[in-house]
C-alpha cells in the first residue's frame, strides 16, 4: 500500500514445507521478494510468475538443504528475469525442477535469470503440454522481441544462466534450451561434474539465432547427449549459430 516499502522477505528455519501461490513465492514485482528456507524437503509451486523470479523487480529464493521439488506453470519462473532479476539457489539435495517454459535460468528484455544448484543428482524438465516442445526457452536461455517484420519495435534479450556444480543430472527440454539465445540475448548452461543425460530439441546445447550468444559447457563425466532413439533430436544443436550469432558447445 501507499508508504510501504516494496519489500517482502520470508525466512523459514526448518521442516518439510509447502509453498503454493498463483504469483510467487519469491517474486519481485515492482519491488523485492525474497525467501530463505534453511532446511527440509520442500515443495514450491506457482501457476505463473515466481520461485525466484523478477518481473519489473527482483526475486530471490535460497534453499539450503533437502530434496526439494520446484514446479512452475511459466512464463517467468525458477531463476528468471524480465525487466528485473530472478535468482534461485539450491545448495544441497537431489532436486527436481519442472516448468512449462521461460524459466530455469531465463533472461528476457532488460532481465537476468540465474539458477544455481550446488550438489545432488537433479532433474531439470520442461514439457509444455499446451504448446508442444517449440519455444521452451529454458535451462540457460534468453529471448528478445524480434519486430523487424512487424511493428519495428524490437527489444534485445537478456541474460540467462544455469549452473549445476555436481551430481549425475538429467536435462529434459524442447526447442530453444540448454544454452540458447534469440535476438541479441545471451544464454549459458554449465555442468561442472557428474555423468549427465541431456535431451533437447532444435536450437539447444549451445545454439543461437539473430545476433544472440549461446553456450553449453560440461566439465566432467561420462555424458549422453540426445540419444538417437529420441525423435526430438533433429537439428541445430551442439554449437549451432545462425544469422550473426555466436555459439559454442564444450565437453571437457
Amino acid at each position: 500500500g501507499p508508504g510501504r516499502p516494496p519489500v517482502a522477505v520470508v525466512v523459514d528455519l526448518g521442516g518439510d514445507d509447502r509453498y503454493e501461490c498463483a504469483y510467487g513465492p519469491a517474486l519481485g514485482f515492482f519491488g523485492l521478494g525474497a525467501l530463505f528456507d534453511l532446511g527440509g524437503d520442500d515443495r514450491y509451486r506457482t501457476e505463473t510468475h515466481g520461485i525466484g523470479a523478477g518481473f519489473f523487480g527482483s526475486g530471490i529464493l535460497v534453499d539450503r538443504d533437502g530434496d526439494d521439488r520446484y514446479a512452475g506453470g511459466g512464463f517467468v519462473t525458477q531463476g528468471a528475469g524480465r525487466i528485473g532479476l530472478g535468482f534461485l539457489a539450491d545448495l544441497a539435495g537431489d532436486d527436481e525442477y519442472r516448468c512449462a517454459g521461460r524459466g530455469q535460468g531465463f533472461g528476457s528484455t532488460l532481465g537476468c535469470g540465474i539458477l544455481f544448484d550446488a550438489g545432488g543428482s537433479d532433474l531439470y524438465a520442461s514439457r509444455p503440454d499446451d504448446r508442444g516442445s517449440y519455444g521452451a526457452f529454458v535451462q540457460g536461455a534468453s529471448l528478445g522481441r524480434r519486430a523487424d517484420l512487424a511493428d519495428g519495435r524490437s527489444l534485445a534479450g537478456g541474460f540467462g544462466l544455469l549452473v549445476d556444480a555436481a551430481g549425475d543430472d538429467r536435462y529434459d527440454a524442447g526447442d530453444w534450451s540448454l544454452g540458447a539465445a534469440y535476438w541479441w540475448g545471451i544464454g549459458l548452461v554449465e555442468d561442472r561434474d557428474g555423468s549427465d543425460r541431456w535431451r533437447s530439441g532444435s536450437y539447444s546445447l549451445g545454439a543461437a539465432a539473430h545476433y544472440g550468444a549461446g553456450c553449453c559447457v560440461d566439465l566432467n563425466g561420462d555424458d549422453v547427449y540426445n540419444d538417437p532413439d529420441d525423435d526430438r533430436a533433429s537439428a541445430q544443436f551442439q554449437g549451432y549459430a545462425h544469422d550473426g550469432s555466436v555459439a559454442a558447445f564444450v565437453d571437457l
Side-chain angles (χ1 to χ4, degrees):
R4 295 182 180 179
V7 176
V9 179
V10 173
V11 179
D12 187 280
L13 302 181
D16 299 336
D17 307 305
R18 185 182 298 271
Y19 304 91
E20 295 185 352
C21 306
Y23 293 88
L27 170 65
F29 181 64
F30 289 97
L32 169 67
L35 191 160
F36 302 91
D37 191 291
L38 304 185
D41 298 333
D42 307 307
R43 303 292 182 268
Y44 303 87
R45 178 180 292 275
T46 181
E47 295 180 10
T48 178
H49 303 353
I51 310 181
F55 186 61
F56 293 89
S58 298
I60 299 172
L61 194 160
V62 178
D63 190 293
R64 191 176 69 176
D65 198 11
D67 298 333
D68 307 303
R69 304 292 180 265
Y70 302 88
F75 290 97
V76 181
T77 184
Q78 297 175 23
R82 182 177 182 182
I83 314 181
L85 167 68
F87 179 75
L88 168 58
D90 191 293
L91 304 184
D94 299 332
D95 308 304
E96 288 187 7
Y97 303 87
R98 299 180 184 272
C99 73
R102 278 39 166 197
Q104 298 175 359
F106 167 74
S108 187
T109 299
L110 294 177
C112 176
I114 300 172
L115 194 165
F116 172 73
D117 191 290
S121 296
D122 308 304
L123 168 66
Y124 303 89
S126 174
R127 306 296 292 162
D129 297 332
D130 58 339
R131 292 175 290 119
S133 64
Y134 180 76
F137 288 99
V138 294
Q139 300 168 13
S142 176
L143 171 65
R145 181 178 189 264
R146 179 184 178 184
D148 58 324
L149 303 178
D151 58 18
R153 295 185 175 91
S154 296
L155 299 169
F159 180 85
L161 173 65
L162 167 60
V163 177
D164 190 290
D168 299 332
D169 306 303
R170 290 181 294 154
Y171 301 88
D172 189 354
D175 298 346
W176 296 101
S177 61
L178 292 164
Y182 182 92
W183 199 257
W184 299 99
I186 300 174
L188 306 170
V189 59
E190 178 179 295
D191 191 291
R192 303 191 62 84
D193 198 12
S195 298
D196 311 302
R197 300 185 68 87
W198 308 71
R199 298 178 64 193
S200 59
S202 298
Y203 285 99
S204 60
L205 295 166
H210 310 310
Y211 314 104
C215 182
C216 176
V217 178
D218 190 293
L219 298 181
N220 194 32
D222 300 325
D223 308 301
V224 176
Y225 301 93
N226 285 338
D227 189 311
D229 292 333
D230 180 5
D231 58 8
R232 285 178 297 140
S234 55
Q236 294 121 347
F237 55 84
Q238 289 178 309
Y240 178 85
H242 173 69
D243 187 21
S245 297
V246 177
F249 172 81
V250 181
D251 187 301
L252 296 182

